[in-house]
Amino acid sequence: MQKYSVFNLIKNAFSNHENWDLAWKDPTPKKEYDVVIIGGGGHGLATAYYLAKEHNITNVAIIEKGWIGGGNVGRNTTIIRSNYMYDDNALFSEFGMDLWRRMSQDLNYNVMFSPRGIINLAHSDAQMNVYARRGNSMRLNGIDAVLLNREQVKEIIPMADFSENVRFPIFGGLMQPSAGTARHDAVAWGYARQADSMGVDIIQNCEVTGFDVSGGKVKGIRTSRGDIKVKKIGLCVAGSTNILAEKLNMRLPIETHLLQACVSEPVKPVLDRVVTFGAGHFYISQSDKGEMVMGGDLDGYNSYSQRGNMPTLQHVLTEGIAMMPFLSKLKMLRTWGGIMDMSMDGSPIIDKTHIEGLYLNCGWCYGGFKATPASGWTFAYTIAQDRAHELNAGYNLNRFNTGHLLDEKGLGTKTWIS
Amino acid sequence: MLHIKCPHCGMRSQNEFSYGGDATVKRPKLNKEVSDQDWDNFIYNRKSLRGKHLELWQHLSGCRQWIKVERDTATHEIFKTMKANEDEL
């Protein structure tokens, strides 16, 4: 594989950049694979990469219905953080933070990881107490957390509304300085390029139409480009999880919902952090191009439409303007939506299933993008070793039966409530 | 914006309603032995497929009644609405 470096950049400049290798091939599916990963999104591509890199399993195919990186990895608001209170979530995410920090070097691909810090705003004394508790839990798990008072927040984000007579005055906030953002498409492409170079077949425009399971064991899959014999299958299809589970006669604690995001027109640098509103659900950062990147609530009813509806967008942006009034002067550039695999306790599932050779990776709710490297790493481990790593042991499917839920937000099973 | 025909009030904007989830989920019978699987299916497990979906909505800013709506989860087309105690077809 051609290394991306400044020397190769200069060298290729002499041939007008017309002789670069393709970043990944377009192979025809083989008849048989050791592992097939269904879903060529961030998690699927990362899983294939770590299967090859960490476990030396390279007879692997990624089967993608559309094109790689065309789903949620290309539709998110690029936020990376590990500001969780529960041990299972905190340790898993912090392991991921470490992979994020090394990712550009590891993949020889600039993912533009920008650890600019995230501030969760608090709007009452009670919320400050809750944040102090969460911050303490984070620090016990070795994650950086700083509780900021009103004046400290004002110093960092002076453009927020600090007037006294507003409905939700800013009391302070909880900051994770090491959190940040990354270029989401680059993450998908970087993983794809490296996985491909280690022998993984990336098969696009190939829909999985059925499974061949006999004697409680995976034998193969049926696709729009022919049948494939396979020993192990990893399901990494986010919002389409229920559609494939139906073909396997499985019912999962997952509902598919639509989440919108939007960007404003580009403006000069104004916001150098990720900020979330504490009295609702709204998050914002500024991209390198200058666009304000914003997101918030689910549309609120089961949806596969991949495009949003106005009432939710209006509601979310109302929160944004309450927090940062200058946003009302900006024009909207683009809005879009992606379909989320909302789990019934708000935490993901990375586990084996009752079918031998079938592995499940789903339930990422609002937080799939930041989990990409840790999810790929632990899912690859689970597939290769046929057991969960201690990092994803808490993300088992059985917890819904035993009651060991990971309900970080305390919302219960109404996934559409935010 | 969805327009939902409340069986009590007529056609209204989506903004007047709040969502209540899958209407086909039934609580296991009272005073009967319930298997773990049945209970999990009631509490957690959902079909949530692409296409026709029978779901509960409450006309919160209107008559406050719960209603059933049959809607396509991909196109948002609403096929029919009925009172909460009415069964489909």
Side-chain angles (χ1 to χ4, degrees):
Chain A
M1 186 185 58
Q2 215 170 8
K3 195 170 153 57
Y4 290 165
S5 69
V6 67
F7 303 108
N8 269 331
L9 193 65
I10 294 165
K11 196 177 103 189
N12 277 279
F14 292 109
S15 51
N16 294 322
H17 296 291
E18 284 169 358
N19 297 325
W20 286 100
D21 289 348
L22 288 177
W24 52 85
K25 296 177 284 292
D26 183 21
T28 327
K30 289 193 277 188
K31 290 279 167 237
E32 193 169 349
Y33 288 98
D34 291 339
V35 180
V36 162
I37 305 294
I38 303 173
H43 291 219
L45 293 160
T47 303
Y49 168 71
Y50 291 113
L51 273 175
K53 185 181 173 231
E54 306 284 341
H55 306 281
N56 216 13
I57 300 172
T58 55
N59 187 20
V60 176
I62 294 168
I63 308 284
E64 166 57 47
K65 182 182 171 188
W67 63 95
I68 58 166
N72 295 341
V73 73
R75 293 165 189 261
N76 57 76
T77 47
T78 79
I79 299 166
I80 293 160
R81 58 188 176 84
S82 60
N83 53 358
Y84 284 98
M85 190 172 82
Y86 288 162
D87 288 351
D88 287 299
N89 290 331
L91 296 173
F92 177 87
S93 304
E94 187 56 17
F95 175 77
M97 292 303 296
D98 203 39
L99 295 175
W100 278 112
R101 288 177 201 116
R102 295 184 276 127
M103 190 181 288
S104 290
Q105 286 73 30
D106 192 25
L107 298 180
N108 179 229
Y109 206 107
N110 186 3
V111 299
M112 296 163 72
F113 177 54
S114 161
R116 59 184 67 185
I118 187 168
I119 300 173
N120 303 126
L121 293 180
H123 308 277
S124 66
D125 282 327
Q127 206 169 9
M128 284 298 282
N129 290 343
V130 171
Y131 281 170
R133 183 179 176 222
R134 172 139 67 102
N136 285 333
S137 301
M138 286 164 63
R139 293 174 77 131
L140 286 172
N141 278 321
I143 302 164
D144 55 333
V146 186
L147 194 65
L148 305 172
N149 63 29
R150 181 180 160 91
E151 292 312 309
Q152 289 167 314
V153 174
K154 196 172 181 177
E155 234 165 75
I156 301 172
I157 48 165
M159 78 297 286
D161 192 350
F162 284 92
S163 29
E164 304 276 348
N165 59 344
V166 289
R167 175 67 184 83
F168 299 109
I170 294 169
F171 273 57
L174 180 67
M175 179 164 176
Q176 186 193 358
S178 67
T181 60
R183 169 96 170 93
H184 51 191
D185 297 321
V187 175
W189 299 334
Y191 275 124
R193 175 168 162 266
Q194 287 292 345
D196 175 89
S197 80
M198 288 188 284
V200 172
D201 281 357
I202 298 173
I203 298 157
Q204 305 181 76
N205 300 309
C206 179
E207 183 179 357
V208 172
T209 54
F211 295 87
D212 183 5
V213 177
S214 68
K217 220 173 152 178
V218 159
K219 302 284 180 197
I221 56 168
R222 289 188 287 281
T223 78
S224 56
R225 292 174 67 177
D227 293 355
I228 299 171
K229 286 210 316 198
V230 61
K231 297 190 186 79
K232 293 178 175 182
I233 297 172
L235 218 56
C236 269
V237 292
S240 301
T241 301
N242 280 314
I243 295 176
L244 289 182
E246 173 81 358
K247 295 183 198 296
L248 289 155
N249 291 320
M250 284 170 73
R251 284 184 75 180
L252 295 171
I254 302 278
E255 280 189 14
T256 295
H257 283 261
L258 186 113
L259 182 61
Q260 295 193 64
C262 58
V263 292
S264 74
E265 59 184 325
V267 289
K268 286 190 174 178
V270 56
L271 180 63
D272 58 357
R273 313 279 168 162
V274 181
V275 183
T276 73
F277 186 54
H281 201 176
F282 174 81
Y283 32 92
I284 185 167
S285 63
Q286 189 171 21
S287 76
D288 294 325
K289 285 183 283 184
E291 302 155 335
M292 308 305 292
V293 184
M294 299 169 279
D297 284 324
L298 296 174
D299 267 23
Y301 38 89
N302 297 50
S303 176
Y304 279 88
S305 67
Q306 285 193 313
R307 60 189 144 70
N309 216 333
M310 283 310 284
T312 301
L313 196 62
Q314 188 177 26
H315 170 75
V316 166
L317 292 174
T318 305
E319 293 174 32
I321 290 166
M323 184 172 91
M324 293 182 178
F326 81 95
L327 293 174
S328 69
K329 305 290 179 199
L330 298 182
K331 290 190 175 57
M332 188 72 75
L333 194 66
R334 281 194 314 279
T335 79
W336 65 93
I339 53 172
M340 307 294 119
D341 35 339
M342 301 300 294
S343 70
M344 289 292 176
D345 65 354
S347 294
I349 297 159
I350 305 177
D351 201 2
K352 298 159 60 169
T353 63
H354 70 282
I355 299 170
E356 196 183 327
L358 181 78
Y359 302 84
L360 199 58
N361 180 328
C362 61
W364 291 100
C365 302
Y366 297 92
F369 176 67
K370 66 157 195 306
T372 304
S375 162
W377 195 95
T378 53
F379 196 39
Y381 184 97
T382 304
I383 293 171
Q385 309 288 331
D386 196 39
R387 64 189 160 88
H389 189 270
E390 61 179 14
L391 284 167
N392 65 314
Y395 293 161
N396 61 73
L397 183 56
N398 198 35
R399 69 180 187 266
F400 295 94
N401 190 269
T402 61
H404 294 87
L405 301 179
L406 281 169
D407 195 350
E408 183 91 25
K409 283 191 185 169
L411 291 178
T413 59
K414 302 287 184 283
T415 59
W416 57 86
I417 294 174
S418 41
Chain B
M1 169 101 65
L2 302 181
H3 287 95
I4 300 172
K5 189 179 170 194
C6 172
H8 307 281
C9 314
M11 194 67 89
R12 296 298 175 96
S13 145
Q14 164 195 346
N15 289 337
E16 295 184 13
F17 295 84
S18 76
Y19 187 62
D22 191 335
T24 63
V25 175
K26 292 266 188 295
R27 193 190 190 286
K29 284 258 184 304
L30 278 173
N31 303 322
K32 289 262 167 60
E33 194 64 33
V34 182
S35 72
D36 278 6
Q37 190 58 52
D38 286 347
W39 190 249
D40 287 355
N41 285 344
F42 167 60
I43 301 282
Y44 299 117
N45 296 334
R46 296 289 177 268
K47 286 207 159 170
S48 186
L49 294 177
R50 186 186 178 94
K52 278 190 182 177
H53 189 243
L54 191 70
E55 58 204 18
L56 293 167
W57 289 77
Q58 189 188 11
H59 195 185
L60 197 67
S61 309
C63 63
R64 301 189 66 83
Q65 295 297 308
W66 283 92
I67 62 167
K68 284 184 193 165
V69 175
E70 191 180 46
R71 181 181 59 92
D72 189 304
T73 57
T75 64
H76 297 323
E77 182 182 354
I78 291 173
F79 303 103
K80 61 180 169 197
T81 58
M82 58 198 120
K83 295 174 187 169
N85 60 358
E86 287 176 335
D87 277 327
E88 47 185 327
L89 303 173

